[in-house]
Amino acid sequence: MLDKLNPAQREAVLTLTGPLLVLAGAGTGKTRVVTTRIAKLINNGTPPDRILAVTFTRKAANEMLERANNLLPKKRSRSKGQSRPQISTFHSLCVKVLRRHISRLDYPPKFVICDRSDQESEARAALREIRCPDQSLRPGDMLAIVGGWKSRSIEPAKAATVAETDREHLAAAAYRRYQKNLKTKGMVDFDDLLLLVQKLFAKFPAVRRDEANRFDHVLIDEYQDTNQSQYQIVKGLAMGHRNLCVVGDDDQSIYGWRGAEVEHILRFQRDWPDATVVRLEENYRSTAAILGYANTLIAFNRLRHEKVLRPARAGGQRPRVMQLPDETVEAQKVVADIQQQLSQPGVAARDFAILFRTNEQPRIFETELRRAKLPYVLLGSMSFFDRKEVRDLVAYLKVIENPNDEASLLRIINTPARSIGASTVKRLVEAATSRGGHIWELLAKGEQQKLLAPAAAHAVSQFHHLIVALQENIGNHTLADFVSLVIDKTGYRRELNRLYPDPNDRESRTASLEEIVNAAANYQQQAREPSLRDFLDDIALGNRDSTEDKENQLQNNAIALMTMHSAKGLEFPYVYLVGLEEGILPHKRSVEAEGDAIDEERRLCYVGVTRAQDALTLSFALTRRKWGKPRETIPSRFLYEMTGQAENGRAKRAAASG
């Protein structure tokens, strides 16, 4: 088993007792070390069922178990009576613990794990109980706030003390009702699985000892992604035997926004002073040229374990930096470059990945890839064109272009809310159906006055006048300005402000509207005879179904479009990091916050760079459209850092040693 390991990997595998921190840089064979170590423990006499290995995804857990079994002698791994190591996710481990002990917390042993729909229903009930109006705090927003608290081990009794804004104080009040109602119904949500086990271990030492005594060895994968509850659970399970091996990379800690705390891996040696530390630095994925950029970049982060990725693959072409006039040319150049590469023998579409920071960026790349007739798949999020706010705005444009588009009309007749209820809509549909015509024809003839009560008739007439007024304005504006006019006249932007008090949520949804305005401007610039109808035809092709699992989608021979967050753990021969501009990467929220927020953005960029195996292209636009108007950009500070144009002694040493 040891023959194929390098010296550092071998040291990690052979350190079988005591606390062990394995700092596994990107592409350094982390999974091989973990699985070989499990097999080595078993071969050295540790009963398999006395080994616990925990990771974050079911796929990773299954892969770990399969690879560990493949390393064992065939007779042992195939024996029906042979016990197996417990390899699972954090959440599945916690379910087993709770099934055994949750009655101590006054929950029924046959508790129910509620799904998202159940959660929203209970959140809505809790908000009603505290008489919180919808416009002050929506169920989804409340759950986001409460989920953040739970990931930091903040229970309902303490929530009010950490709440800062009015909305958080409302959430704290609702949190108490929400949690009480769940408990009364014998339900736990996904975050409770961790929080309740942490609570069990803290309140009932005998329970903690009972669970810890089930194992002689504990291994934790992706330790840099642990939140407060997971951190406490790990300590509780390992403090007796102290045979704790954690594997991770602080340089790839990019989930702070969902509760992960990089401090856990940074302070491991303080928590376990006798710990052995092994650094896996030999990278088998990327060329030396790519790793030079990665090492130089990440050295700008001050709070990190010192390590330098060393290439197993010498040479390689220097990463390219493409400076383009605007985001349209950026997309065109990237797609043209991919198209040219695909003409080479042995190169397939699945070899390429376009990585971006925000969910608005891929829209223009989707457009160019469709135009070039290249296969692609958008991973990690729904297609840009499937988002509610985008579909609503497109529905308005469709009704303006063709008011007999009944599906689009029904979608937006009461969006934003204008007092046109379901019974009113039903009566209009029935009347149109009985006459063999369209709803719009009824409105054009003023039939709503006869069919509906005065208030409902007035609301429907106002909607009709709005659409007619917008139709009359089509020829008076550029297409981009007209789309902006539709957003303003319909009151859709005000509706977003009302529905989404969370500034991050509101910003994301507003950015989607802005991107449609930008799409209109780009379309008009390129079309010979631009028209609203042709524009709608152009973007209609973007309505894709992206509900499949990321791993399943990657089985297709298609160019991958995904955020850098979604790309973690993946690798591609050719990688394009696009939109490297201040305000995008690093994101403007992080730029405003500075400090730790910038460090996490730098780690995110580092993750993007280290996805590339053979070729890396970094691109940015000199101007980018904001609400249809070109605005000058500032190149990302990370570009200067990677290319050695920013002063930093640590970065220079990293570049020299790499």
Side-chain angles (χ1 to χ4, degrees):
M1 289 189 293
L2 302 178
D3 291 345
K4 296 180 180 179
L5 303 181
N6 65 39
Q9 292 173 331
R10 192 175 295 117
E11 182 185 359
V13 167
L14 294 177
T15 304
L16 296 179
T17 59
L20 171 64
L21 169 61
V22 181
L23 293 169
T28 57
K30 174 195 72 171
T31 305
R32 172 181 289 179
V33 167
V34 172
T35 53
T36 306
R37 193 172 187 276
I38 292 171
K40 184 66 177 174
L41 284 168
I42 295 170
N43 278 344
N44 275 28
T46 301
D49 60 357
R50 302 291 297 173
I51 300 170
L52 170 67
V54 184
T55 187
F56 280 81
T57 68
R58 186 172 297 176
K59 179 179 183 296
N62 291 339
E63 180 184 354
M64 198 180 292
L65 181 61
E66 182 181 353
R67 291 177 65 168
N69 279 335
N70 288 339
L71 290 172
L72 293 171
K74 296 302 180 198
K75 185 176 180 180
R76 167 174 274 169
S77 64
R78 291 176 181 172
S79 173
K80 291 183 179 179
Q82 181 68 33
S83 63
R84 303 192 332 164
Q86 183 171 323
I87 302 178
S88 70
T89 65
F90 268 105
H91 289 90
S92 61
L93 168 69
C94 288
V95 169
K96 293 175 183 175
V97 174
L98 292 175
R99 293 293 181 203
R100 289 189 283 265
H101 304 289
I102 198 171
S103 57
R104 300 249 189 165
L105 298 174
D106 298 323
Y107 282 81
K110 293 184 178 181
F111 62 87
V112 174
I113 303 170
C114 56
D115 60 21
R116 181 66 185 186
S117 177
D118 295 329
Q119 280 186 274
E120 292 191 352
S121 177
E122 294 300 328
R124 188 172 292 107
L127 290 168
R128 281 200 203 102
E129 287 180 34
I130 65 168
R131 292 176 170 78
C132 175
D134 285 350
Q135 59 266 33
S136 298
L137 186 65
R138 295 182 311 127
D141 295 327
M142 180 209 131
L143 290 172
I145 295 170
V146 168
W149 283 332
K150 287 187 176 184
S151 72
R152 288 151 51 203
S153 302
I154 297 170
E155 296 191 60
K158 295 181 181 178
T161 64
V162 299
E164 296 178 352
T165 66
D166 290 343
R167 294 177 68 249
E168 287 180 351
H169 281 287
L170 285 172
Y175 183 12
R176 287 193 294 272
R177 303 295 183 100
Y178 170 77
Q179 208 63 26
K180 180 183 177 183
N181 293 345
L182 285 184
K183 189 172 184 178
T184 299
K185 296 177 180 179
M187 300 170 72
V188 299
D189 65 22
F190 208 58
D191 295 314
D192 285 334
L193 297 175
L194 303 175
L195 192 59
L196 292 177
V197 170
Q198 180 192 346
K199 190 174 181 179
L200 268 173
F201 283 7
K203 286 188 69 175
F204 304 100
V207 170
R208 183 200 63 74
R209 286 193 297 271
D210 178 54
E211 291 301 320
N213 287 340
R214 292 174 179 272
F215 307 105
D216 297 323
H217 291 270
V218 176
L219 297 90
I220 308 297
D221 190 21
E222 303 285 7
Y223 190 65
Q224 78 280 352
D225 293 336
T226 52
N227 64 24
Q228 185 61 24
S229 291
Q230 291 159 337
Y231 169 75
Q232 295 294 346
I233 291 167
V234 170
K235 286 185 70 175
L237 290 172
M239 66 170 59
H241 53 68
R242 300 180 64 78
N243 293 325
L244 171 65
C245 170
V246 303
V247 183
D249 182 8
D250 50 299
D251 290 336
Q252 296 185 76
S253 179
I254 58 173
Y255 297 116
W257 49 277
R258 68 183 190 198
E261 297 183 27
V262 69
E263 292 82 6
H264 297 159
I265 195 168
L266 292 176
R267 71 176 184 226
F268 186 82
Q269 289 163 278
R270 292 205 301 274
D271 291 339
W272 308 87
D274 56 335
T276 300
V277 180
V278 177
R279 288 171 168 80
L280 305 184
E281 297 177 303
E282 191 165 356
N283 176 285
Y284 297 94
R285 176 187 298 155
S286 308
T287 64
I290 292 170
L291 292 185
Y293 271 42
N295 286 328
T296 306
L297 170 70
I298 202 61
F300 279 81
N301 276 7
R302 290 178 296 107
L303 297 176
R304 60 184 292 263
H305 288 288
E306 288 295 328
K307 54 189 170 302
V308 176
L309 292 179
R310 306 183 191 283
R313 302 174 59 198
Q317 64 185 53
R318 180 185 175 92
R320 292 182 302 163
V321 178
M322 294 201 307
Q323 171 183 297
L324 291 317
D326 56 44
E327 70 270 36
T328 303
V329 179
E330 179 186 41
Q332 290 170 344
K333 290 291 186 183
V334 167
V335 171
D337 194 66
I338 292 173
Q339 198 164 28
Q340 190 275 326
Q341 300 271 14
L342 284 170
S343 66
Q344 305 299 316
V347 179
R350 65 168 59 92
D351 296 335
F352 296 84
I354 302 172
L355 308 184
F356 41 84
R357 173 63 180 86
T358 70
N359 285 320
E360 290 73 49
Q361 287 174 266
R363 191 273 310 164
I364 196 164
F365 289 92
E366 287 191 73
T367 299
E368 291 301 324
L369 287 164
R370 288 199 310 271
R371 185 170 285 128
K373 294 182 171 57
L374 294 180
Y376 74 93
V377 62
L378 183 65
L379 294 96
S381 66
M382 68 172 65
S383 172
F384 172 83
F385 299 101
D386 278 337
R387 298 176 198 176
K388 180 185 183 302
E389 57 274 16
V390 172
R391 295 180 70 179
D392 287 346
L393 179 53
V394 170
Y396 267 108
L397 297 176
K398 286 182 176 180
V399 171
I400 292 165
E401 169 59 28
N402 174 20
N404 289 330
D405 182 340
E406 208 107 291
S408 295
L409 187 144
L410 292 175
R411 182 181 182 90
I412 49 93
I413 194 169
N414 197 42
T415 303
R418 48 175 66 92
S419 301
I420 302 175
S423 60
T424 298
V425 172
K426 182 180 179 183
R427 189 163 296 180
L428 290 173
V429 170
E430 288 173 347
T433 302
S434 67
R435 301 179 191 196
H438 297 281
I439 293 175
W440 186 257
E441 293 168 358
L442 297 179
L443 306 190
K445 295 175 181 176
E447 294 288 332
Q448 65 271 21
Q449 306 298 336
K450 304 173 187 175
L451 293 167
L452 307 171
H458 177 72
V460 170
S461 295
Q462 290 295 102
F463 170 74
H464 176 257
H465 294 325
L466 169 67
I467 299 300
V468 170
L470 289 169
Q471 288 173 326
E472 293 172 350
N473 268 284
I474 292 178
N476 301 331
H477 303 273
T478 66
L479 197 54
D481 287 343
F482 178 72
V483 176
S484 291
L485 180 71
V486 172
I487 295 169
D488 291 335
K489 293 297 184 183
T490 58
Y492 202 92
R493 198 197 314 259
R494 289 194 303 275
E495 182 76 346
L496 291 182
N497 293 338
R498 184 183 74 81
L499 290 176
Y500 305 104
D502 185 330
N504 294 339
D505 200 357
R506 187 169 63 244
E507 176 190 343
S508 173
R509 293 174 187 277
T510 304
S512 295
L513 298 183
E514 177 188 342
E515 195 61 17
I516 291 293
V517 177
N518 295 340
N522 290 333
Y523 161 79
Q524 182 146 359
Q525 190 175 42
Q526 296 175 19
R528 287 187 177 182
E529 297 181 11
S531 69
L532 179 57
R533 177 184 296 172
D534 289 344
F535 173 59
L536 289 169
D537 288 343
D538 193 55
I539 64 174
L541 297 171
N543 190 12
R544 299 172 56 86
D545 179 13
S546 298
T547 58
E548 294 177 61
D549 175 76
K550 177 172 75 174
E551 299 297 334
N552 290 335
Q553 290 176 314
L554 282 173
Q555 301 305 311
N556 301 324
N557 185 22
I559 298 158
L561 275 71
M562 70 185 88
T563 64
M564 293 173 207
H565 283 102
S566 296
K568 187 172 179 292
L570 302 176
E571 60 187 26
F572 301 88
Y574 305 91
V575 169
Y576 295 79
L577 262 61
V578 300
L580 283 172
E581 300 147 30
E582 291 289 302
I584 296 181
L585 185 67
H587 195 277
K588 66 179 179 180
R589 289 196 300 271
S590 301
V591 172
E592 292 163 0
E594 280 293 336
D596 292 344
I598 291 293
D599 284 355
E600 179 150 327
E601 291 288 297
R602 187 176 286 109
R603 292 194 291 268
L604 186 58
C605 186
Y606 172 82
V607 165
V609 169
T610 54
R611 299 312 93 197
Q613 296 171 296
D614 303 324
L616 172 67
T617 300
L618 312 164
S619 68
F620 68 98
L622 292 171
T623 64
R624 191 170 289 271
R625 291 188 187 275
K626 300 289 291 180
W627 295 105
K629 310 295 182 186
R631 299 283 186 268
E632 289 188 359
T633 67
I634 300 172
S636 170
R637 68 191 72 186
F638 302 150
L639 276 172
Y640 294 108
E641 293 171 1
M642 278 186 276
T643 55
Q645 298 178 60
E647 280 299 316
N648 184 285
R650 292 186 306 278
K652 288 183 178 178
R653 289 195 297 275
S657 59

